DNA sequence: CCTACGATCTGCT
DNA sequence: GCAGATCGTAGGG
């Protein structure tokens, strides 16, 4: 079943990041359905977190959707090429988000291969934030899209992940954030080939 | 207006 | 292991 508003509007973005491991990210772009299991996430908190785009009340047109209610996509362009997909969480006014860093394809593998320009499904088809966005057809124009609509949503298919199957560590690519860079806010499925690095 | 740079990926060595 | 790609965003003049 689709994750509901209550899931996304909880106040603890770190807990939500853990909870998203094992959930199924689904898209239907131009009638083409694809889905993938989330295997790696990172938490970004809008308060007291220098790694977050919405840190210290920084508020711009790009980050505006993070200040809205949870359950919406925040997608932005990185290095001029890569579309990075985030799940906005918490209630209106509190700009938290979870970056989805890796997934394992479940359905629509032919479409995923086509979008990625490959001919076999291997972990490198979707083991990075830019790769999974391309695999599922997510782009910056989808920033602000509700996660309970017809284009993008997340399902709980009762895949049971026990707490000891989830590893944690520092977030990737945010060395500039000083002490905040050391927080173990990256979560991943242990012993999975479908994670980054 | 102008410039610097980033929550990355790929290909080449 | 490392350089280059490539452009929206943000901040300064």
């Amino acid at each position: 079943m689709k994750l509901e508003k209550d899931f996304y509007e909880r106040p603890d973005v770190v807990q939500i990041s853990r909870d998203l491991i094992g959930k199924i990210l689904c898209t239907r772009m131009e009638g083409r359905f694809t889905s993938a299991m989330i295997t790696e996430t990172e938490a970004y908190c809008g308060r007291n977190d220098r790694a977050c785009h919405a840190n210290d009340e920084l508020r711009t047109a790009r980050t505006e959707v993070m200040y809205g209610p949870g359950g919406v996509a925040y997608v932005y362009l990185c290095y001029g090429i890569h579309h990075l997909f985030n799940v906005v969480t918490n209630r209106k006014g509190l700009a938290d988000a979870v970056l989805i860093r890796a997934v394992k394809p479940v359905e629509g593998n032919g479409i995923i291969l086509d979008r990625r320009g490959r001919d076999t499904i291997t972990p490198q088809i979707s083991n990075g934030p830019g790769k999974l966005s391309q695999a599922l057809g997510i782009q910056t124009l989808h920033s602000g899209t509700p996660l309970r609509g017809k284009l993008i949503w997340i399902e709980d298919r009762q895949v049971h992940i026990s707490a000891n199957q989830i590893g944690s560590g520092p977030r990737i690519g945010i060395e500039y954030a000083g002490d905040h860079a050391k927080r173990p806010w990256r979560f991943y499925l242990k012993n999975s080939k479908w994670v980054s690095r």
Side-chain angles (χ1 to χ4, degrees), chain A residues 8-132:
Chain A
Y8 298 108
E9 296 206 333
R10 287 177 293 160
D12 186 347
V13 67
V14 173
Q15 184 62 46
I16 295 174
S17 298
R18 288 177 167 280
D19 292 346
L20 281 172
I21 302 291
K23 299 297 188 288
I24 311 295
L25 175 59
C26 305
T27 66
R28 191 187 303 280
M29 303 298 181
E30 296 166 339
R32 305 205 291 175
F33 173 70
T34 50
S35 72
M37 187 177 75
I38 297 169
T39 55
E40 182 176 342
T41 62
E42 283 179 359
Y44 287 86
C45 183
R47 295 152 313 287
N48 193 31
D49 179 10
R50 284 217 305 285
C52 183
H53 290 166
N55 167 51
D56 286 341
E57 302 307 312
L58 178 67
R59 193 161 182 159
T60 66
R62 178 180 65 151
T63 60
E64 186 61 29
V65 297
M66 292 181 76
Y67 291 86
V72 169
Y74 167 53
V75 188
Y76 76 97
L77 193 68
C78 188
Y79 295 96
I81 304 174
H82 308 291
H83 302 255
L84 271 57
F85 172 72
N86 300 252
V87 174
V88 176
T89 70
N90 216 327
R91 60 187 167 81
K92 186 178 177 186
L94 299 177
D96 299 348
V98 179
L99 171 67
I100 308 301
R101 286 194 56 87
V103 300
K104 173 185 178 180
V106 176
E107 292 155 299
N109 287 4
I111 299 165
I112 288 171
L113 288 171
D114 183 41
R115 289 189 182 126
R116 294 276 295 130
R118 301 298 161 92
D119 54 14
T120 45
I121 295 283
T122 62
Q124 41 267 31
I125 206 81
S126 58
N127 65 349
K131 296 179 192 178
L132 90 257

